Amino acid sequence: MPIVTAPAIRHAVPDPTVCEQARLSRDARFDGLFFTAVSSTGIYCRPVCPAPRPRRENVAYYANAAAAEAAGFRPCLRCRPELSPGDGAWRRGDAAVARALKLIEDGALADAPIAALAERVGLGERQLRRLFVERLGAAPLGVHGTRRLLFAKQLLTETALPITDIAMAAGFGSLRRFNTTFKDAYRMAPRELRRRPPTPTGDALTLRLGYRPPYDFSAMLDFLRGRALPGVEVVDAASYARVIGDAAAPGWLRVSAWPGDAHALKLELHGAAPTGLLDIVNRLRRMFDLDADPVAIARVLSADPKLRPLLASRPGLRLPSGWHGFEIAVRAILGQQVSVAAARTLATRLAQRFGHALATPFGPGLEYLFPTPEALVDADLALIALTRARAQTIRSVAQALLDGRVDFRHERTLEDFAARWVALPGIGPWTAHYIAMRALGHPDAFPAEDLVLRRAAGDDGVSLTTRALGARAEAWRPWRAYAVIHLWSESACTAPLRRASAIRGTS
């Protein structure tokens, strides 16, 4: 394939001067925000590539891997573009292209045509194709294909999975199709990339999940630890573990920091079917917010004098999401007007009473699967001392999910998502936006009625009204959820000081 330039997407790439400086300094903050393509070699690289720097006249910059591959470049075997975090462009609003990218990430083009994707985001097929080429430099199928091939490349490099399993994991219908597509795109057969297959390490499949620094993994674990469900999740000082899968094929995973100074987390998977690997990785990337761009977020939020010192003191704070939307929705209902500790107690009772108990636990604290909507739709929740109103809300949500009245589909705008949930009895704006923030990882979700948030955003300990907080937060768009996390974190840090002051009788 001849190497061509893509002038239509130059606006989507950071300023060329910035790209050049980032390339020369190997600045990890720009990893995944652009790719460097070298005409003399036909290779594209991450800006952090350790290879000798090519001459400037041989370099072109592309906004994403799909655009570089559409122009005829192959991924570097040394810096491995498949490890770069996503550029997070899909997180910057509810525009049609952003929602279409979310759907492609969820596998919308794996077994459906582009026309179906276009319909889901409210566009015509030709219009969607045009927008993708203009803004991303690649058609929707190109984005989908690059994503599959790069994931297959990671599995070939990091695991000892049979190539047939890798073909299935990456979404190819057959080994022959995978071999042909891989060879056409990368000019080598999959087996050539795997001249030295990794040595298997027990029954665990280990993958590297890259992120863009700074990243406060300790803060992420602190947040998840305070909400962890005994029996379903285990969060210690260094890792997060949980039971996954279903009653027929349960498994478990652990996420920890990658050893050394790599900007990555380490995923260890046990009992996961190859066909579910890409979904697991996507869930974890959302759950641990690995594709966020801290510089872009800080650029907006730092304009507020209340948030500026918080971002300066904790630049790597991310938006913690959850493993499964229904689990987050149930826990949000249990958390209405009670403390985090009280909500966790109720959720633990619910998981252990109505969840699926494993015949053989995977280890201490990994003994149950969280209940499904089917398990709770008619459950007698009085058995866990839940109030009648709250029990009915949980059953109503379970039924609404089964009926399709609410869902966790990424093509919905934040307003549409919240409106559907608020229409259910017992669900108010706070709950709807909390679910959007923690189930979808939506960067602009904003539970403005939250008492702790209103107090933390005020000055001199005076709480803001919901309306005043909402008005102030308009300047925080499209990153209001990150402001929430920073203010909650600050409130959690200062709460012990406030209690000490009250005990001493001081202000």
Side-chain angles (χ1 to χ4, degrees):
M1 181 186 296
I3 294 172
V4 298
T5 58
I9 61 162
R10 288 302 181 194
H11 68 281
V13 183
D15 182 273
T17 302
V18 174
C19 290
E20 183 69 5
Q21 292 173 346
R23 175 180 75 91
L24 294 176
S25 61
R26 299 189 173 100
D27 192 335
R29 295 176 301 169
F30 291 87
D31 190 11
L33 297 183
F34 71 89
F35 290 87
T36 299
V38 185
S39 59
S40 58
T41 63
I43 299 294
Y44 74 94
C45 302
R46 301 158 65 188
V48 296
C49 186
R53 300 175 182 86
R55 298 173 58 139
R56 177 64 187 90
E57 58 267 27
N58 293 330
V59 169
Y61 297 115
Y62 289 86
N64 52 71
E69 294 196 7
F73 293 93
R74 308 186 309 277
C76 176
L77 296 180
R78 187 164 180 181
C79 68
R80 299 178 57 200
E82 68 270 18
L83 296 181
S84 63
D87 68 2
W90 59 269
R91 298 170 61 83
R92 295 172 190 164
D94 286 331
V97 171
R99 289 182 284 127
L101 282 170
K102 298 177 191 179
L103 291 171
I104 291 173
E105 183 180 82
D106 287 342
L109 291 179
D111 52 11
I114 296 177
L117 173 66
E119 183 179 358
R120 290 179 68 175
V121 297
L123 295 177
E125 182 178 347
R126 290 182 60 186
Q127 185 181 11
L128 183 65
R129 289 177 186 270
R130 177 180 59 80
L131 288 174
F132 262 67
V133 172
E134 286 181 355
R135 301 183 184 184
L136 302 173
L141 280 178
V143 173
H144 171 64
T146 296
R147 173 175 167 269
R148 290 193 303 169
L149 285 171
L150 288 178
F151 185 63
K153 184 173 178 291
Q154 181 178 10
L155 295 177
L156 286 166
T157 304
E158 295 184 353
T159 78
L161 283 174
I163 293 181
T164 300
D165 287 350
I166 291 174
M168 299 301 108
F172 293 88
S174 69
L175 179 59
R176 176 180 296 180
R177 183 181 176 191
F178 171 56
N179 284 331
T180 300
T181 305
F182 196 95
K183 190 171 183 178
D184 288 346
Y186 297 158
R187 299 169 217 174
M188 65 168 66
R191 64 178 180 275
E192 294 179 56
L193 186 64
R194 188 183 253 184
R195 291 193 178 99
R196 294 182 179 178
T199 302
T201 55
D203 68 339
L205 185 147
T206 302
L207 291 174
R208 186 184 309 208
L209 307 179
Y211 58 77
R212 188 176 298 110
Y215 185 87
D216 194 339
F217 185 52
S218 295
M220 180 68 72
L221 291 179
D222 288 343
F223 186 95
L224 296 173
R225 186 182 305 113
R227 294 158 178 80
L229 295 184
V232 177
E233 304 169 297
V234 175
V235 187
D236 58 28
S239 67
Y240 169 89
R242 75 165 289 136
V243 180
I244 62 171
D246 55 33
W252 68 285
L253 59 80
R254 176 181 287 116
V255 177
S256 57
W258 194 269
D261 58 357
H263 302 306
L265 299 183
K266 180 181 180 180
L267 167 61
E268 298 168 272
L269 270 172
H270 304 259
T275 52
L277 292 180
L278 188 53
D279 176 66
I280 290 171
V281 168
N282 287 336
R283 286 191 189 212
L284 289 173
R285 294 200 68 84
R286 183 194 67 242
M287 182 174 179
F288 287 88
D289 199 15
L290 300 181
D291 295 321
D293 181 356
V295 174
I297 296 166
R299 189 180 299 121
V300 173
L301 298 186
S302 292
D304 189 300
K306 182 73 176 183
L307 297 176
R308 189 179 306 122
L310 305 186
L311 282 118
S313 63
R314 309 193 78 170
L317 203 60
R318 298 291 178 97
L319 179 59
S321 187
W323 174 253
H324 192 279
F326 179 61
E327 178 181 326
I328 291 297
V330 169
R331 298 180 65 171
I333 295 165
L334 295 175
Q336 293 171 341
Q337 299 180 335
V338 300
S339 68
V340 171
R344 178 188 181 189
T345 298
L346 289 171
T348 301
R349 292 177 188 167
L350 183 142
Q352 297 182 359
R353 178 65 180 80
F354 300 101
H356 174 75
L358 302 178
T360 304
F362 292 120
L366 300 175
E367 302 152 0
Y368 298 90
L369 285 161
F370 193 82
T372 62
E374 292 83 354
L376 295 185
V377 69
D378 293 317
D380 182 5
L381 299 178
L383 295 174
I384 60 170
L386 206 57
T387 64
R388 181 179 302 176
R390 201 150 298 178
Q392 184 56 44
T393 298
I394 290 176
R395 287 192 291 266
S396 296
V397 165
Q399 187 63 61
L401 281 166
L402 294 175
D403 294 344
R405 285 177 285 143
V406 294
D407 51 51
F408 305 101
R409 295 169 63 172
H410 281 130
E411 68 264 37
R412 304 207 185 281
T413 64
L414 177 61
E415 289 72 21
D416 180 31
F417 179 88
R420 287 171 177 269
W421 281 84
V422 169
L424 300 180
I427 302 294
W430 179 91
T431 306
H433 276 261
Y434 183 87
I435 294 171
M437 186 172 71
R438 299 232 33 238
L440 300 182
H442 199 293
D444 206 36
F446 193 66
E449 296 82 2
D450 189 85
L451 180 60
V452 174
L453 182 61
R454 287 164 42 207
R455 182 185 299 122
D459 296 317
D460 301 322
V462 178
S463 297
L464 296 178
T465 65
T466 298
R467 178 176 294 182
L469 177 59
R472 182 171 187 171
E474 283 299 306
W476 302 344
R477 289 183 181 269
W479 309 115
R480 293 185 302 176
Y482 288 90
V484 171
I485 291 299
H486 275 281
L487 290 167
W488 277 351
S489 178
E490 174 67 10
S491 179
C493 290
T494 58
L497 297 178
R498 290 197 300 269
R499 287 197 295 268
S501 296
I503 292 172
R504 294 195 301 268
T506 59
S507 60

